[in-house]
Amino acid sequence: MVAPKKAVFKEFVYSAPGIAEPKGNQIVNPILPGCYPDPTICRVGDDYYMANSSFAFFPGVPIWHSKDLKHWEQLGYVLNRPSQLQLKDGLRISGGIYAPDLKYNPHNKLFYLITTDVDGIGNFFVTTDDPKKGVWSNPVALPDVKGIDPSILFDEDGKAYILNNDAPEGTPLYNGHRAIWIREFDWKNGRTVGQAKMVINGGVDITKKPVWIEGPHLYHINGKYYLMAAEGGTSINHTEVVFSSDSPFGPFKPCAVNPILTQRGLPSDRPDPVTCAGHADLVQTPEGDWKAVFLAVRPYKNGHDVMGRETFLLPVEWKDGQPVILPQGEVITYSDREVAPVYLWKSKDLADEAIFIRTPQTSFYQVASGNLELNARSIKLKDKRQPSAVGRWITHFEFEAETVMNFAPENAGDVAGLLLFHNDDTNVTFGKSMNAEGKPCLTLQAYSKGVEKYSFTYTLPLEEADKELQLKVVGQRNKQTGEVTYQFSYAVAKSKKWKDVGEPVSADWLSTQTAGGFTGTMVGVYATGKY
């Protein structure tokens, strides 16, 4: 077998404009820009930890640390070993890991991360004594817990409970009819005990046929149990609702004010809208205040978005014995926070935010002397396998991503360069290749839902054919129309003489509204060939 040809990338730099540093204690939303949905948060002492869904990207479950809820440092990923997470060939990109819940058990001083591998082992948990160490246990399966979105409450008396979304008792009454269930969790032996009980049927008002009650969290606050959950689905009708009870097993009654968070029903033509707000989690500060983290979406035009569902934070007010995150009708705003130039790999390893498409089954890259080498394997994006690609999430409408690359294509199927990836059927590649006449060229190809939307080939001048190249993609937003496009360009390395290649590519083709699914857009480097 012929060894795969290598593409050598000397650097990959990502940057985006915005506010350099918020003033005072000002929180700039989103606090985690980019595809970081379904946030969960906990505090131990003055340390806050937060985690997110990761779907079919590896490593799984990004985890973050903060001292002030304003500045967040990524601690890498919870599921960072293939033994913890096998996202195999053929797995849909919006499959994999859904809605984690991160909680601290003061009774054994362990952190628990419980989540769902929807296409794998189902619901499971992992533990660590210190998230900063970056070492979590192997998964412990919970075969009795069905459905999705499990969460844990470690109660004051030493007992613990697992909640989850699942089908209701009997036959569902309508499409989207779901329920929230609870059962006791024996944390000493790592298993559930006793019978599960349905505590929420449908949502706040079953007569109105509420859909997709999910993402439950249970809190024991001042002698009351509060069950908070998302309702309405994760699109524009997304809401957060809350119930209360004197017992963890209910009965739970809807609180007087519901929903406690939503952007549903607001004018669609409002400037710089934030939509789809919901799937929240609460945390109390050392000072006794309460905050909520939740997901929301920033569409740029007509509902199109490219960052996916991002993490926002708002203060929580307690009114008449219940939490309220945002009074209905109030608008969530956002500001872009500057991303100073950041690199996708370091001198010897990948950056903390780096991700792969599915779990690597073989070794296809190495970082050495500051360079990233990718094997140009024969795996194509459309193959729905684990391609030679490394990336990070786009965090802004306007951004720049640039790489320096050496690659010598030998066949028309050899390509190495930049990648914008929403899923296997929706992506853009821009790289060095070889045309039908055997001449080195640059190719730009955009696919949306498996259909080629744009293709352009630029034959490199003879004097540039063997040179080291810089490749760049720039995200641009039209201030008048709101439209977002991506312009690709190249330069002979260090010349700083950039040349645009092809027409700007529409972000609409990569948007969730067009392509579906639950993710944002990954930008990175990619290599493939006939090997």
Side-chain angles (χ1 to χ4, degrees):
M1 179 179 290
V2 178
K5 179 171 284 295
K6 293 185 182 295
V8 179
F9 297 88
K10 290 195 170 181
E11 66 179 17
F12 178 95
V13 186
Y14 179 92
S15 61
I19 300 170
E21 180 64 27
K23 297 179 181 178
N25 294 323
Q26 177 189 3
I27 299 292
V28 172
N29 275 315
I31 58 170
L32 297 183
C35 183
Y36 297 108
D38 308 326
T40 175
I41 190 169
C42 72
R43 178 182 63 85
V44 178
D46 60 355
D47 292 297
Y48 296 92
Y49 298 95
M50 189 160 55
N52 306 89
S53 297
S54 51
F55 304 107
F57 293 88
F58 184 89
V61 186
I63 184 166
W64 312 78
H65 172 256
S66 176
K67 289 284 191 179
D68 58 7
L69 296 173
K70 175 181 172 182
H71 301 93
W72 291 90
E73 174 194 10
Q74 187 167 358
L75 300 177
Y77 294 83
V78 172
L79 307 175
N80 54 22
R81 304 187 302 275
S83 62
Q84 296 171 303
L85 180 62
Q86 274 297 314
L87 303 166
K88 296 183 178 179
D89 291 349
L91 176 69
R92 59 199 170 109
I93 292 299
S94 288
I97 296 297
Y98 281 21
D101 181 54
L102 176 64
K103 292 296 177 282
Y104 178 70
N105 183 359
H107 308 293
N108 64 2
K109 296 181 171 53
L110 289 180
F111 291 83
Y112 286 69
L113 190 291
I114 187 170
T115 188
T116 313
D117 181 355
V118 296
D119 303 284
I121 66 172
N123 291 304
F124 67 92
F125 71 89
V126 292
T127 62
T128 187
D129 63 346
D130 184 358
K132 295 176 185 176
K133 293 179 181 177
V135 180
W136 292 73
S137 71
N138 279 329
V140 178
L142 297 166
D144 292 335
V145 182
K146 307 300 181 182
I148 60 171
D149 296 5
S151 65
I152 301 180
L153 169 67
F154 294 104
D155 213 346
E156 299 161 359
D157 60 2
K159 291 186 176 182
Y161 308 93
I162 290 177
L163 294 90
N164 63 289
N165 155 298
D166 204 353
E169 291 177 331
T171 303
L173 302 177
Y174 51 88
N175 184 37
H177 179 196
R178 301 292 284 177
I180 301 301
W181 295 74
I182 190 171
R183 68 184 75 217
E184 194 167 342
F185 176 53
D186 175 6
W187 52 265
K188 292 180 180 179
N189 295 294
R191 63 188 182 186
T192 59
V193 293
Q195 295 295 312
K197 181 181 179 181
M198 185 176 72
V199 287
I200 303 294
N201 183 14
V204 169
D205 186 351
I206 189 68
T207 66
K208 294 182 179 179
K209 298 183 178 181
V211 298
W212 308 120
I213 190 80
E214 58 190 7
H217 292 284
L218 185 63
Y219 311 93
H220 192 182
I221 302 171
N222 296 331
K224 279 277 189 184
Y225 289 90
Y226 294 89
L227 197 165
M228 193 172 72
E231 186 182 293
T234 56
S235 186
I236 58 173
N237 291 320
H238 207 196
T239 67
E240 193 73 14
V241 295
V242 65
F243 309 78
S244 66
S245 175
D246 293 324
S247 164
F249 286 95
F252 281 92
K253 295 182 179 180
C255 291
V257 177
N258 269 312
I260 60 172
L261 170 69
T262 190
Q263 295 290 274
R264 179 180 65 189
L266 295 176
S268 59
D269 60 351
R270 66 191 186 277
D272 295 328
V274 173
T275 63
C276 310
H279 200 111
D281 195 8
L282 303 181
V283 68
Q284 189 176 29
T285 69
E287 295 74 29
D289 299 323
W290 288 85
K291 309 289 183 180
V293 293
F294 57 94
L295 72 81
V297 171
R298 291 184 288 162
Y300 57 86
K301 183 193 69 173
N302 299 332
H304 289 285
D305 73 86
V306 285
M307 271 86 78
R309 299 176 297 174
E310 306 174 281
T311 293
F312 287 65
L313 182 146
L314 284 175
V316 176
E317 292 188 30
W318 286 82
K319 297 181 179 179
D320 299 324
Q322 73 157 96
V324 177
I325 300 171
L326 189 71
Q328 196 164 357
E330 291 195 12
V331 174
I332 299 171
T333 60
Y334 70 85
S335 298
D336 285 319
R337 189 166 181 176
E338 179 186 24
V339 178
V342 291
Y343 298 85
L344 190 56
W345 55 87
K346 307 168 187 176
S347 60
K348 296 181 180 179
D349 203 357
L350 297 174
D352 288 333
E353 66 267 28
I355 48 177
F356 306 116
I357 301 166
R358 304 182 182 87
T359 307
Q361 304 299 312
T362 60
S363 177
F364 67 87
Y365 79 96
Q366 66 174 356
V367 179
S369 302
N371 296 335
L372 172 69
E373 296 182 2
L374 287 185
N375 292 341
R377 297 178 294 163
S378 60
I379 300 172
K380 311 292 184 184
L381 298 174
K382 65 180 180 180
D383 295 338
K384 295 180 172 59
R385 296 173 61 194
Q386 205 283 309
S388 295
V390 182
R392 53 158 294 139
W393 294 116
I394 286 176
T395 58
H396 293 59
F397 300 130
E398 298 180 290
F399 70 91
E400 290 191 6
E402 180 182 329
T403 190
V404 178
M405 181 190 72
N406 278 308
F407 183 62
E410 296 177 354
N411 304 284
D414 299 353
V415 182
L418 293 174
L419 169 68
L420 294 177
F421 183 89
H422 179 85
N423 62 38
D424 308 286
D425 298 320
T426 301
N427 49 72
V428 184
T429 56
F430 173 59
K432 188 176 181 182
S433 185
M434 181 172 285
N435 63 21
E437 289 75 39
K439 296 180 179 179
C441 65
L442 294 173
T443 62
L444 173 59
Q445 289 186 301
Y447 287 86
S448 186
K449 300 181 73 172
V451 177
E452 185 177 83
K453 305 295 288 188
Y454 183 72
S455 179
F456 186 85
T457 299
Y458 172 80
T459 302
L460 288 165
L462 184 61
E463 65 274 14
E464 297 178 354
D466 297 326
K467 296 289 182 65
E468 183 176 87
L469 298 180
Q470 289 178 273
L471 305 179
K472 181 166 66 173
V473 56
V474 178
Q476 306 168 125
R477 190 180 188 192
N478 186 299
K479 293 182 180 179
Q480 281 70 45
T481 67
E483 182 181 8
V484 173
T485 56
Y486 302 120
Q487 179 65 64
F488 294 85
S489 57
Y490 88 102
V492 173
K494 300 180 181 180
S495 71
K496 298 183 180 180
K497 295 180 180 179
W498 291 100
K499 301 176 186 177
D500 289 345
V501 177
E503 298 296 324
V505 171
S506 173
D508 290 6
W509 299 336
L510 296 172
S511 72
T512 305
Q513 183 156 322
T514 299
F518 301 142
T519 72
T521 303
M522 183 186 87
V523 60
V525 292
Y526 166 65
T528 186
K530 292 184 176 181
Y531 305 99

Short mmCIF file of all heavy atoms in Angstrom, two decimals, residues 359-398:
data_model
loop_
_atom_site.label_atom_id
_atom_site.label_comp_id
_atom_site.label_asym_id
_atom_site.label_seq_id
_atom_site.Cartn_x
_atom_site.Cartn_y
_atom_site.Cartn_z
N THR A 359 -14.64 10.13 16.15
CA THR A 359 -13.47 9.66 16.88
C THR A 359 -12.43 9.10 15.91
O THR A 359 -12.74 8.21 15.11
CB THR A 359 -13.86 8.55 17.87
OG1 THR A 359 -14.93 9.03 18.70
CG2 THR A 359 -12.69 8.17 18.75
N PRO A 360 -11.19 9.59 15.97
CA PRO A 360 -10.15 9.03 15.10
C PRO A 360 -9.97 7.54 15.33
O PRO A 360 -9.84 7.09 16.47
CB PRO A 360 -8.90 9.81 15.50
CG PRO A 360 -9.42 11.10 16.06
CD PRO A 360 -10.70 10.74 16.75
N GLN A 361 -9.99 6.78 14.24
CA GLN A 361 -9.81 5.33 14.31
C GLN A 361 -8.35 4.94 14.08
O GLN A 361 -7.92 3.86 14.46
CB GLN A 361 -10.71 4.64 13.29
CG GLN A 361 -12.19 4.98 13.43
CD GLN A 361 -12.75 4.58 14.78
OE1 GLN A 361 -12.55 3.46 15.25
NE2 GLN A 361 -13.45 5.51 15.42
N THR A 362 -7.62 5.81 13.41
CA THR A 362 -6.19 5.61 13.18
C THR A 362 -5.48 6.94 13.37
O THR A 362 -6.10 8.00 13.36
CB THR A 362 -5.91 5.10 11.75
OG1 THR A 362 -6.40 6.07 10.80
CG2 THR A 362 -6.60 3.76 11.49
N SER A 363 -4.18 6.89 13.51
CA SER A 363 -3.38 8.11 13.64
C SER A 363 -3.20 8.74 12.26
O SER A 363 -2.69 8.10 11.35
CB SER A 363 -2.03 7.78 14.26
OG SER A 363 -1.23 8.93 14.34
N PHE A 364 -3.65 9.97 12.10
CA PHE A 364 -3.55 10.62 10.79
C PHE A 364 -2.86 11.98 10.85
O PHE A 364 -2.76 12.66 9.83
CB PHE A 364 -4.94 10.79 10.17
CG PHE A 364 -5.83 11.75 10.90
CD1 PHE A 364 -5.80 13.11 10.61
CD2 PHE A 364 -6.69 11.31 11.88
CE1 PHE A 364 -6.62 14.00 11.29
CE2 PHE A 364 -7.51 12.19 12.55
CZ PHE A 364 -7.48 13.55 12.25
N TYR A 365 -2.38 12.37 12.02
CA TYR A 365 -1.74 13.68 12.13
C TYR A 365 -0.62 13.62 13.15
O TYR A 365 -0.57 12.73 14.00
CB TYR A 365 -2.75 14.76 12.55
CG TYR A 365 -3.05 14.75 14.03
CD1 TYR A 365 -2.38 15.60 14.90
CD2 TYR A 365 -4.01 13.88 14.56
CE1 TYR A 365 -2.65 15.58 16.26
CE2 TYR A 365 -4.28 13.86 15.91
CZ TYR A 365 -3.60 14.71 16.77
OH TYR A 365 -3.86 14.69 18.12
N GLN A 366 0.26 14.60 13.07
CA GLN A 366 1.25 14.79 14.12
C GLN A 366 1.63 16.27 14.18
O GLN A 366 1.58 16.97 13.16
CB GLN A 366 2.49 13.93 13.90
CG GLN A 366 3.32 14.28 12.70
CD GLN A 366 4.62 13.46 12.64
OE1 GLN A 366 4.92 12.70 13.54
NE2 GLN A 366 5.38 13.65 11.58
N VAL A 367 1.94 16.72 15.37
CA VAL A 367 2.43 18.08 15.58
C VAL A 367 3.89 17.97 15.98
O VAL A 367 4.22 17.34 16.99
CB VAL A 367 1.62 18.81 16.66
CG1 VAL A 367 2.17 20.23 16.86
CG2 VAL A 367 0.14 18.86 16.29
N ALA A 368 4.74 18.58 15.19
CA ALA A 368 6.18 18.52 15.45
C ALA A 368 6.83 19.82 15.02
O ALA A 368 6.55 20.33 13.93
CB ALA A 368 6.82 17.35 14.72
N SER A 369 7.67 20.36 15.88
CA SER A 369 8.40 21.60 15.59
C SER A 369 7.46 22.73 15.15
O SER A 369 7.80 23.54 14.29
CB SER A 369 9.46 21.35 14.51
OG SER A 369 10.36 20.34 14.91
N GLY A 370 6.27 22.76 15.74
CA GLY A 370 5.33 23.83 15.43
C GLY A 370 4.51 23.62 14.19
O GLY A 370 3.66 24.46 13.86
N ASN A 371 4.71 22.50 13.48
CA ASN A 371 3.96 22.21 12.26
C ASN A 371 2.92 21.12 12.52
O ASN A 371 3.13 20.22 13.33
CB ASN A 371 4.88 21.74 11.14
CG ASN A 371 5.86 22.80 10.70
OD1 ASN A 371 5.61 24.00 10.87
ND2 ASN A 371 6.98 22.38 10.15
N LEU A 372 1.81 21.22 11.80
CA LEU A 372 0.81 20.15 11.81
C LEU A 372 0.91 19.41 10.49
O LEU A 372 0.77 20.01 9.41
CB LEU A 372 -0.60 20.73 11.97
CG LEU A 372 -1.75 19.73 11.81
CD1 LEU A 372 -1.77 18.73 12.96
CD2 LEU A 372 -3.09 20.43 11.69
N GLU A 373 1.15 18.11 10.57
CA GLU A 373 1.20 17.27 9.37
C GLU A 373 -0.06 16.42 9.30
O GLU A 373 -0.38 15.69 10.26
CB GLU A 373 2.44 16.37 9.39
CG GLU A 373 3.75 17.14 9.34
CD GLU A 373 4.95 16.21 9.31
OE1 GLU A 373 4.74 14.96 9.30
OE2 GLU A 373 6.09 16.70 9.30
N LEU A 374 -0.78 16.51 8.19
CA LEU A 374 -1.97 15.70 7.97
C LEU A 374 -1.71 14.69 6.87
O LEU A 374 -1.21 15.06 5.80
CB LEU A 374 -3.15 16.58 7.55
CG LEU A 374 -3.82 17.48 8.59
CD1 LEU A 374 -5.04 18.16 7.96
CD2 LEU A 374 -4.24 16.69 9.81
N ASN A 375 -2.05 13.44 7.12
CA ASN A 375 -2.00 12.43 6.06
C ASN A 375 -3.18 12.66 5.12
O ASN A 375 -4.33 12.69 5.55
CB ASN A 375 -2.08 11.03 6.64
CG ASN A 375 -0.84 10.66 7.44
OD1 ASN A 375 0.21 11.27 7.30
ND2 ASN A 375 -0.97 9.65 8.29
N ALA A 376 -2.89 12.81 3.83
CA ALA A 376 -3.94 13.04 2.83
C ALA A 376 -4.59 11.69 2.48
O ALA A 376 -4.37 11.13 1.41
CB ALA A 376 -3.38 13.72 1.60
N ARG A 377 -5.38 11.16 3.42
CA ARG A 377 -6.01 9.86 3.22
C ARG A 377 -7.12 9.93 2.18
O ARG A 377 -7.60 11.01 1.83
CB ARG A 377 -6.56 9.35 4.55
CG ARG A 377 -5.47 9.12 5.60
CD ARG A 377 -6.09 8.67 6.91
NE ARG A 377 -6.90 9.72 7.49
CZ ARG A 377 -7.82 9.52 8.45
NH1 ARG A 377 -8.05 8.30 8.90
NH2 ARG A 377 -8.51 10.52 8.94
N SER A 378 -7.57 8.79 1.74
CA SER A 378 -8.57 8.73 0.68
C SER A 378 -9.98 9.02 1.18
O SER A 378 -10.93 9.01 0.40
CB SER A 378 -8.55 7.35 0.01
OG SER A 378 -8.83 6.33 0.95
N ILE A 379 -10.14 9.29 2.46
CA ILE A 379 -11.46 9.57 3.03
C ILE A 379 -11.92 10.96 2.64
O ILE A 379 -11.24 11.96 2.90
CB ILE A 379 -11.42 9.42 4.56
CG1 ILE A 379 -11.01 8.00 4.94
CG2 ILE A 379 -12.79 9.77 5.16
CD1 ILE A 379 -10.76 7.82 6.42
N LYS A 380 -13.09 11.03 2.01
CA LYS A 380 -13.71 12.29 1.62
C LYS A 380 -14.74 12.69 2.67
O LYS A 380 -15.26 11.85 3.41
CB LYS A 380 -14.39 12.18 0.26
CG LYS A 380 -13.55 11.57 -0.84
CD LYS A 380 -12.40 12.47 -1.24
CE LYS A 380 -11.63 11.88 -2.42
NZ LYS A 380 -10.44 12.68 -2.77
N LEU A 381 -15.11 13.96 2.70
CA LEU A 381 -16.11 14.43 3.64
C LEU A 381 -17.44 13.72 3.44
O LEU A 381 -18.12 13.35 4.40
CB LEU A 381 -16.28 15.94 3.52
CG LEU A 381 -15.04 16.78 3.83
CD1 LEU A 381 -15.32 18.25 3.54
CD2 LEU A 381 -14.59 16.60 5.27
N LYS A 382 -17.82 13.52 2.19
CA LYS A 382 -19.11 12.91 1.89
C LYS A 382 -19.18 11.44 2.29
O LYS A 382 -20.27 10.86 2.31
CB LYS A 382 -19.42 13.05 0.40
CG LYS A 382 -18.46 12.29 -0.51
CD LYS A 382 -18.83 12.48 -1.98
CE LYS A 382 -17.87 11.70 -2.88
NZ LYS A 382 -18.22 11.89 -4.31
N ASP A 383 -18.04 10.84 2.63
CA ASP A 383 -18.02 9.43 3.00
C ASP A 383 -18.61 9.18 4.39
O ASP A 383 -18.82 8.03 4.77
CB ASP A 383 -16.58 8.89 2.97
CG ASP A 383 -15.99 8.88 1.57
OD1 ASP A 383 -16.77 8.90 0.60
OD2 ASP A 383 -14.75 8.88 1.46
N LYS A 384 -18.84 10.23 5.14
CA LYS A 384 -19.39 10.11 6.50
C LYS A 384 -18.52 9.21 7.38
O LYS A 384 -19.01 8.38 8.15
CB LYS A 384 -20.84 9.60 6.45
CG LYS A 384 -21.81 10.55 5.78
CD LYS A 384 -23.22 10.01 5.76
CE LYS A 384 -24.23 11.05 5.26
NZ LYS A 384 -23.96 11.54 3.92
N ARG A 385 -17.22 9.43 7.26
CA ARG A 385 -16.27 8.69 8.08
C ARG A 385 -15.46 9.68 8.92
O ARG A 385 -15.98 10.73 9.27
CB ARG A 385 -15.37 7.82 7.17
CG ARG A 385 -16.15 6.75 6.42
CD ARG A 385 -15.25 6.03 5.41
NE ARG A 385 -14.13 5.35 6.05
CZ ARG A 385 -13.07 4.89 5.40
NH1 ARG A 385 -12.99 5.04 4.07
NH2 ARG A 385 -12.10 4.28 6.05
N GLN A 386 -14.22 9.35 9.21
CA GLN A 386 -13.39 10.20 10.05
C GLN A 386 -12.27 10.75 9.18
O GLN A 386 -11.22 10.14 9.01
CB GLN A 386 -12.83 9.40 11.23
CG GLN A 386 -12.47 10.23 12.43
CD GLN A 386 -11.17 10.96 12.24
OE1 GLN A 386 -10.15 10.38 11.88
NE2 GLN A 386 -11.18 12.27 12.44
N PRO A 387 -12.48 11.93 8.56
CA PRO A 387 -11.52 12.46 7.59
C PRO A 387 -10.29 13.07 8.26
O PRO A 387 -10.26 13.29 9.48
CB PRO A 387 -12.34 13.54 6.87
CG PRO A 387 -13.27 14.04 7.92
CD PRO A 387 -13.64 12.82 8.74
N SER A 388 -9.30 13.35 7.45
CA SER A 388 -8.10 14.05 7.94
C SER A 388 -8.42 15.54 8.03
O SER A 388 -8.14 16.32 7.13
CB SER A 388 -6.92 13.82 6.99
OG SER A 388 -6.55 12.46 6.97
N ALA A 389 -9.03 15.91 9.14
CA ALA A 389 -9.46 17.29 9.34
C ALA A 389 -9.33 17.64 10.82
O ALA A 389 -9.63 16.82 11.69
CB ALA A 389 -10.90 17.49 8.88
N VAL A 390 -8.89 18.85 11.09
CA VAL A 390 -8.80 19.39 12.45
C VAL A 390 -9.35 20.80 12.39
O VAL A 390 -9.02 21.57 11.47
CB VAL A 390 -7.35 19.42 12.97
CG1 VAL A 390 -7.32 19.93 14.41
CG2 VAL A 390 -6.70 18.05 12.88
N GLY A 391 -10.19 21.17 13.37
CA GLY A 391 -10.77 22.50 13.32
C GLY A 391 -11.16 23.05 14.67
O GLY A 391 -10.85 22.47 15.73
N ARG A 392 -11.87 24.17 14.62
CA ARG A 392 -12.42 24.84 15.79
C ARG A 392 -13.71 25.52 15.35
O ARG A 392 -13.98 25.65 14.15
CB ARG A 392 -11.45 25.89 16.34
CG ARG A 392 -10.98 26.90 15.31
CD ARG A 392 -10.50 28.19 15.94
NE ARG A 392 -11.59 28.90 16.57
CZ ARG A 392 -11.49 29.53 17.75
NH1 ARG A 392 -10.35 29.50 18.41
NH2 ARG A 392 -12.52 30.16 18.26
N TRP A 393 -14.52 25.97 16.29
CA TRP A 393 -15.79 26.59 15.94
C TRP A 393 -15.62 28.03 15.50
O TRP A 393 -14.82 28.78 16.07
CB TRP A 393 -16.77 26.54 17.12
CG TRP A 393 -17.19 25.16 17.49
CD1 TRP A 393 -16.93 24.50 18.66
CD2 TRP A 393 -17.92 24.24 16.68
NE1 TRP A 393 -17.46 23.24 18.63
CE2 TRP A 393 -18.08 23.05 17.42
CE3 TRP A 393 -18.47 24.31 15.39
CZ2 TRP A 393 -18.75 21.94 16.92
CZ3 TRP A 393 -19.14 23.20 14.90
CH2 TRP A 393 -19.28 22.04 15.65
N ILE A 394 -16.39 28.42 14.48
CA ILE A 394 -16.53 29.84 14.15
C ILE A 394 -17.28 30.51 15.28
O ILE A 394 -18.28 29.99 15.78
CB ILE A 394 -17.28 30.00 12.81
CG1 ILE A 394 -16.38 29.62 11.64
CG2 ILE A 394 -17.81 31.42 12.63
CD1 ILE A 394 -17.09 29.65 10.31
N THR A 395 -16.83 31.69 15.69
CA THR A 395 -17.43 32.38 16.84
C THR A 395 -18.09 33.71 16.47
O THR A 395 -18.78 34.29 17.31
CB THR A 395 -16.37 32.67 17.90
OG1 THR A 395 -15.31 33.46 17.32
CG2 THR A 395 -15.76 31.37 18.43
N HIS A 396 -17.85 34.21 15.26
CA HIS A 396 -18.37 35.51 14.85
C HIS A 396 -18.83 35.44 13.40
O HIS A 396 -18.37 34.59 12.63
CB HIS A 396 -17.28 36.59 14.95
CG HIS A 396 -16.82 36.90 16.34
ND1 HIS A 396 -16.27 35.95 17.17
CD2 HIS A 396 -16.80 38.08 17.04
CE1 HIS A 396 -15.94 36.52 18.32
NE2 HIS A 396 -16.26 37.80 18.27
N PHE A 397 -19.70 36.36 13.01
CA PHE A 397 -20.04 36.49 11.59
C PHE A 397 -18.82 36.96 10.80
O PHE A 397 -18.56 36.50 9.69
CB PHE A 397 -21.19 37.49 11.39
CG PHE A 397 -22.45 37.10 12.10
CD1 PHE A 397 -23.12 38.02 12.91
CD2 PHE A 397 -22.99 35.83 11.97
CE1 PHE A 397 -24.29 37.68 13.56
CE2 PHE A 397 -24.16 35.48 12.61
CZ PHE A 397 -24.81 36.41 13.41
N GLU A 398 -18.08 37.90 11.38
CA GLU A 398 -16.88 38.44 10.74
C GLU A 398 -15.65 37.87 11.44
O GLU A 398 -15.48 38.01 12.65
CB GLU A 398 -16.88 39.96 10.82
CG GLU A 398 -18.05 40.60 10.09
CD GLU A 398 -18.03 42.12 10.16
OE1 GLU A 398 -18.28 42.64 11.26
OE2 GLU A 398 -17.78 42.76 9.13
#
